[in-house]
Amino acid sequence: MKIQPLILLPLLVSALMSSFVQANDEVLSVDQISLQGVQFSFANDAKITPKKSDFTVVNSVLMSSEQGRRIAVVTVRNDASGSRILQAEHIMALFADGRRVTPLALTENIKLDDGEQRSLTLSFGEYNYPILSIFSSNSLD
């Protein structure tokens, strides 16, 4: 059976458009550049906080996809007098529903020397609510 070119063309266009839409689903948009120091007063009855550390969140850029994927580019600084290992539990995101969440994972523990700053791209999973801020235990003092 021979397929007619006029039938094949719409099928090919449809397949390409479907592929384009799927690829476009993962596009991230910048939600905001987080203003460090802004205080929110959500209840925290479970006392969920980041693991105690000498790391300070210097700044963050919050991003999301249309499907609710939440990503943040975070710059952290080691304020200790020696080197320290940054772990996912040292950083936390506050969502617009008051939920506090650590990043899904760091690809590896990251060593920062005293005073060193580093920017990292962190994933916080998929949520309906946006991230309002990123913080460390130093932000809570």
Side-chain angles (χ1 to χ4, degrees):
M1 175 179 207
K2 188 174 180 181
I3 298 177
Q4 296 295 322
L6 290 177
I7 295 173
L8 186 58
L9 184 60
L11 291 174
L12 182 60
V13 169
S14 176
L16 287 172
M17 289 303 291
S18 174
S19 174
F20 175 74
V21 168
Q22 285 179 339
N24 205 18
D25 286 349
E26 288 302 312
V27 172
L28 295 170
S29 300
V30 173
D31 294 334
Q32 68 177 4
I33 297 174
S34 180
L35 302 172
Q36 296 312 116
V38 174
Q39 297 295 317
F40 296 97
S41 298
F42 289 103
N44 188 8
D45 297 335
K47 306 284 189 233
I48 299 170
T49 59
K51 183 177 177 182
K52 189 76 175 154
S53 72
D54 292 310
F55 296 106
T56 298
V57 174
V58 177
N59 58 54
S60 56
V61 177
L62 310 176
M63 298 176 285
S64 63
S65 71
E66 287 187 19
Q67 288 65 43
R69 186 169 165 221
R70 307 299 173 190
I71 303 286
V73 175
V74 180
T75 301
V76 294
R77 180 182 61 237
N78 175 13
D79 290 332
S81 58
S83 63
R84 296 289 186 268
I85 303 293
L86 178 66
Q87 300 171 336
E89 296 80 21
H90 292 135
I91 298 172
M92 192 162 278
L94 175 65
F95 283 80
D97 65 350
R99 183 180 322 188
R100 292 155 175 85
V101 178
T102 57
L104 293 179
L106 293 176
T107 53
E108 58 189 53
N109 291 335
I110 298 168
K111 180 182 174 190
L112 294 170
D113 293 328
D114 57 324
E116 183 179 355
Q117 286 188 165
R118 186 154 327 155
S119 295
L120 310 162
T121 302
L122 304 174
S123 175
F124 290 89
E126 289 188 15
Y127 290 95
N128 290 331
Y129 290 92
I131 296 173
L132 296 177
S133 67
I134 306 290
F135 58 99
S136 66
S137 61
N138 282 350
S139 306
L140 302 175
D141 297 337

